[in-house]
Amino acid sequence: MRIQDMNWGMVEELLRGEDRCMLPLGCTEQHATLSLATDTLLAERVAREAAQDLGVPVFPALPYGITPQFTAYPGTVSVRLSTYLSLLDDLLSGLHAQGFRRILIVNGHGGNAPGQAWLGEWLARHPDARVQWHNWWNAPRTWAAVQAVDDLASHASWMENFPWTRLEGVSAPEERKPMVDVAALRQLPPAQVRERLGDGNYGGLHRRPDREMQRIWQEAVKETRALLQSGWA
């Protein structure tokens, strides 16, 4: 259930018998021909579908993340690391104060990884809480499903091209793009990153058939749901 479909009284009642919640994390950054909100859309949707019928509330996705390398692409907005960690601290502490003790973070953006490293610090201050950080797209079962379809899958490639991340009237290129040297890319300033990447796809096809994407998505939802139900220490 989505928090936006509830009022405070409904949450108060829910907390009498449920201490789990889900917090999706996204980003607003270039994704080649796909929506700038791709990471946010995917994190929120996989969380919502995983929680369906379980009575676990899904909070609105955080739509901004850490993505300084893409700021030469218009529409990309990056948050400073210190700001991001402070915001995560405020969000998790606020949820904890409300009574949520088991929080599943569904992360949709690789650049948010410093939050996962920081999480141990927050947990040390809240020993009665349990928090899982779930990178939904490269979790073991989901990544295996991706690799079974096409082993060349990367940022802004086919693996993020779902009906709900595409833009109406925007067509994807047909060519299979060679994989960029990601290690070299990380050494470059934003303008040179854009020059090197072009449309923004790291490598691979821009699109694959929807029947293949649906199989991957179903695995992602099942894997996320399993963590929500039984992934707690």
Side-chain angles (χ1 to χ4, degrees):
M1 64 182 75
R2 301 185 303 175
I3 281 290
Q4 68 196 65
D5 298 324
M6 305 173 71
N7 61 36
W8 70 265
M10 296 164 70
V11 177
E12 184 174 62
E13 178 63 27
L14 178 143
L15 279 164
R16 293 191 174 99
E18 178 62 75
D19 69 351
R20 295 172 297 173
C21 71
M22 302 179 78
L23 177 63
L25 303 179
C27 189
T28 301
E29 65 172 7
Q30 71 82 14
H31 274 81
T33 62
L34 303 175
S35 168
L36 283 153
T38 288
D39 290 342
T40 306
L41 293 168
L42 293 174
E44 191 279 333
R45 189 179 181 111
V46 76
R48 176 167 47 84
E49 293 190 19
Q52 188 172 359
D53 301 325
L54 294 182
V56 177
V58 178
F59 278 81
L62 180 61
Y64 301 107
I66 304 169
T67 179
Q69 73 275 21
F70 289 150
T71 51
Y73 289 88
T76 296
V77 178
S78 184
V79 176
R80 287 178 296 172
L81 175 59
S82 58
T83 301
Y84 194 74
L85 296 184
S86 294
L87 183 53
L88 284 183
D89 198 337
D90 286 349
L91 292 173
L92 291 178
S93 297
L95 292 173
H96 182 270
Q98 294 280 308
F100 293 104
R101 293 294 180 269
R102 291 180 292 170
I103 304 167
L104 179 56
I105 293 175
V106 180
N107 179 44
H109 173 56
N112 294 339
Q116 185 174 13
W118 162 87
L119 187 57
E121 177 185 319
W122 187 88
L123 286 168
R125 291 186 274 115
H126 301 83
D128 62 336
R130 299 292 180 267
V131 181
Q132 300 183 69
W133 182 288
H134 176 49
N135 294 323
W136 77 266
W137 76 95
N138 69 356
R141 287 163 47 185
T142 302
W143 185 244
V146 169
Q147 292 290 286
V149 169
D150 187 340
D151 61 3
L152 184 50
S154 64
H155 169 80
S157 75
W158 67 270
M159 68 173 287
E160 297 188 284
N161 191 328
F162 294 90
W164 44 89
T165 59
R166 296 174 200 145
L167 300 174
E168 186 176 355
V170 178
S171 59
E174 296 295 331
E175 70 268 14
R176 183 178 176 89
K177 190 175 180 179
M179 187 65 186
V180 70
D181 183 341
V182 176
L185 204 67
R186 289 176 179 147
Q187 303 176 47
L188 300 177
Q192 291 182 34
V193 168
R194 177 174 172 175
E195 182 180 355
R196 181 77 59 92
L197 274 184
D199 72 353
N201 176 1
Y202 272 19
L205 292 171
H206 286 72
R207 181 172 180 171
R208 293 195 65 91
D210 281 349
R211 64 182 182 278
E212 296 177 348
M213 302 308 296
Q214 186 59 33
R215 288 198 297 269
I216 293 169
W217 187 255
Q218 289 172 349
E219 192 62 50
V221 171
K222 287 192 294 184
E223 188 169 26
T224 305
R225 187 179 179 91
L227 290 177
L228 184 59
Q229 291 180 299
S230 58
W232 308 102

